[in-house]
Amino acid sequence: MMTPKMSKMSVAVSAAMISTAMMATSVAASDAESLLGSDPIRIVMPYGAGGSTDITARIIAANAAEYCGTRIDVVSMPGAGGMEGLQFVADAEPNGHTILMADYSATITQTLTEDTDWEVEDWVPIVHLTDWKPTVYVKADHPIQSIEDWVEMAEAEPNTLVFGHADPLSLVHLPLVLLEMETGIENVHLPTTGGGETRTMILGGHAHLGMTLPPSIVSNVEEGEVTAIGVFADERSDVLPDVPTFQEAGYDVSFEAPLLVYTYSDVSDEIQQALSDCIMAGLETETAQTMSSQASAGLNNVQGRESAQQIYRDTTVRVEEVLAAIEQD
Amino acid sequence: MLDLVIEASALAFHPYVLMYVMLGVLLGITLGAIPGLSGDMAIALLLPFVFFLEPAMAMGLLVGIYKGGLFGGSIAAISFGVPGTPGAAATSIDGYQAKLKGKPSKALHTALYSSVIGDTTSDLVLIFIAVPLAAVALSFGPIEFFALYAFSLMLIAALSQGMVAKGLAVAAIGVLLAMIGRDPITGSARLTFGMPGLSGGLSLIPVLIGIFAISEVVVQGAKLWRRKVDDLMDDVAEQASLLQGYDIRKDQLSWKEFKATLKATYIGAAVGTFIGALPGAGQSLAAFMSYGLAQRFSKTPEEFGKGSLEGIASAESGNSATAGSTFIPLFAFGIPGSATAALFGAAFILMGMTPGPSLLNDNTEIIYALFFTLIFANLVNLVLGKILLPYYSRIAMIQPGYLIPAVFILAIVGTYAANNSVVDVWVLLFAGVLGVTLRLLKFPLAPLVLGFIIGPGAERALRQSMIMGGGDWWVLVKSPIAIGFYVAAVALILLFTFALRAKK
């Protein structure tokens, strides 16, 4: 039950929070402040509001502002398949006040497959937030209930199982392509508008298998509506600890998707470092960690520039390999 | 059960929660009334702060914003012909015509009442029959969706009486415009003519505002100018006297008028609730479909498009009736069926509640409290609307000399604000030119917008069906629900053709 005392406090807290959002915070002097100045920082997110990336961006905005010395705004720019958001960051003044937050589809895959003004190397990751683990799932009463069942059935009747995934070549589609190369199985690839539509298709029996990220199906798995059969990662997912990886099942396919914060390459090294430091400091706070665990955002092992850039290079190589293989087909 | 209801109502009717609801509704109405800004934006901005609020208060605030925004969109639609939100596009067809006839107060009140009735219906459906309706919603796969889209397109293309061919033609233009951008299946760019700005397609808001509002502003401006040039001052004086002599006391919605709109409101409430429960279908489709059906079943269908209060009531009730039912897939399966539902899903997550089948069991109290809040927010909407509408009615009657530039600027700024996109502003101006051209050629505009709204969904559903069926067209009639829609479409068209002939 809600006590009057607590509610009063939360009213006060909320009022304070809303007003902080409205004006620049003047707390915590740091290196970041002198380097970055008092203009607001914009985190551009090339997706619509309300998704996993959006929640993570807003956790950063709410917690890192104090350490970066200025207000942080989250700007959602889903236009032109996300390309407009990237263009906006690329065109911005190189003062570190306009940064990008995205998975590899926008910065690597689309840059490689489309005619863009930038190269993959123009995006410099400064914070490695988390790794998403693409997960394959089916309806609970479907005959397929494991990776083995799937491969067996797909081998027996090629091109009959309908597999729902979001956009083609997205992070919930490339692992499927890799697995098909590894095993030789063939499925009917059904692009959807995203995780929500994929789930409708699975639950409604319109598609046989689907791929998504673990936090979005935890509730359905716990209620016994769907079964998660395998994870394309080196280790199992924290939120779905009972679901095996494809490696455990004997298929050497793993394709985790790092969620990164980037600056454009023309931003100076000092500013990159200052941004990286203040965002990480903000995410280490208790409030940020509580928000993260409530949202299953996985921000408990945030890494700095070195790790971010290493994983970005590795991911680029992998995406290039898959794209080359697709082209050969 | 009784304990639960008492505890939940204690949560929901806590003074602070009530205050947050009122604050939310006020904010929502205001933002919804400004084209381009919407309740969704405010909800997105406030997301991180729900973490610091008691869940009941956070819900109150967000629900208030959402509901206020749904109704607020109709204010600009009626007053200036600029749909404040995509859902209000259908409202602007008759709403703006009613205003031009000097009846802004009647139009706005009709919109308010039908909005509240539609919304309440939808909430009650969410509260009492969410589970069975959710099961029906799940049975809508690509095949069923395509049938639904085909049905609505057929229904609406024939909206403008005596202009079926023109209606179908502009609907096709709408579908064609919607095809610009990314191919929904392969993801490659098409019809972009090498312009990177077009690779994501045309956004809904600039097309909507351009077609309806910019073209209207241009036509109005041209009229004003021509009158001046022709020195037809008596005509101008007549128009000016209509505005200056505006007496709100003569522009009251009577009980009889209200009762006459109720059938349209109920149609909207039923259609909106159903469409709202389907993931991905959206408010605009609900509003247009209600409008189309209400016209078909109206005693005075010829009034539609000329300021019919029934037209306003059906569109607005259809739009608002998606409010409760859009949560059905979210609560039942964790599927966000609309942008708003996605934002509420994110808010639930930040409050430590996972949307999906376990949501109600794990958080029974707070969800019941949310149910109370949903209903209460409708009352607040009604009361605040009643208080504010006289002022909005007067604003609607500002002299065109001031109004036209203001609407023009509002449209441009609002369009930019919606997606932070300059490309969208160009799209707005282009759509404005297209709108003026079509008006001059006497084409109806509503089918174009509908074609644009449902084009992408219809194409995606069709192509997904074909993939699932391995390229066999018969797959489209393999579902009983789909067959039902096709039969209903044919039956409706036959019925009305005969009814029309019988009248003649």
Side-chain angles (χ1 to χ4, degrees), chain B residues 316-328:
Chain B
E316 201 43 37
S317 143
N319 167 30
S320 290
T322 58
S325 56
T326 195
F327 292 120
I328 290 176

Side-chain angles (χ1 to χ4, degrees), chain B residues 462-481:
Chain B
L462 176 62
R463 292 179 61 186
Q464 282 175 335
S465 308
M466 298 311 283
I467 290 177
M468 288 163 61
D472 182 1
W473 285 91
W474 285 106
V475 76
L476 293 179
V477 289
K478 273 189 181 148
S479 142
I481 295 177

Side-chain angles (χ1 to χ4, degrees), chain B residues 315 363 461 498:
Chain B
N363 316 279
F498 284 124

Side-chain angles (χ1 to χ4, degrees), chain B residues 30 38 45 86 92 141 151 238 280 328 349 356 442 445 461 465:
Chain B
T30 314
S38 63
L45 270 177
S92 73
F151 171 76
E238 188 192 312
I328 290 176
I349 289 171
K442 299 245 181 309
L445 298 179
S465 308

Side-chain angles (χ1 to χ4, degrees), chain A residues 43-60 74 100-103 129 132 171 213 259-260 297:
Chain A
I43 301 183
V44 175
M45 186 191 58
Y47 315 100
S52 321
T53 328
D54 184 43
I55 297 182
T56 308
R58 287 175 202 283
I59 294 176
I60 296 179
V74 179
L100 179 77
M101 180 171 146
D103 64 62
L129 295 163
W132 283 333
L171 62 102
L213 303 175
L259 179 64
L260 303 165

Side-chain angles (χ1 to χ4, degrees), chain B residues 251-266:
Chain B
D251 181 21
Q252 304 278 6
L253 187 69
S254 72
W255 176 247
K256 207 175 137 207
E257 285 170 317
F258 170 68
K259 254 177 47 186
T261 64
L262 274 179
K263 187 166 80 179
T265 302
Y266 295 148

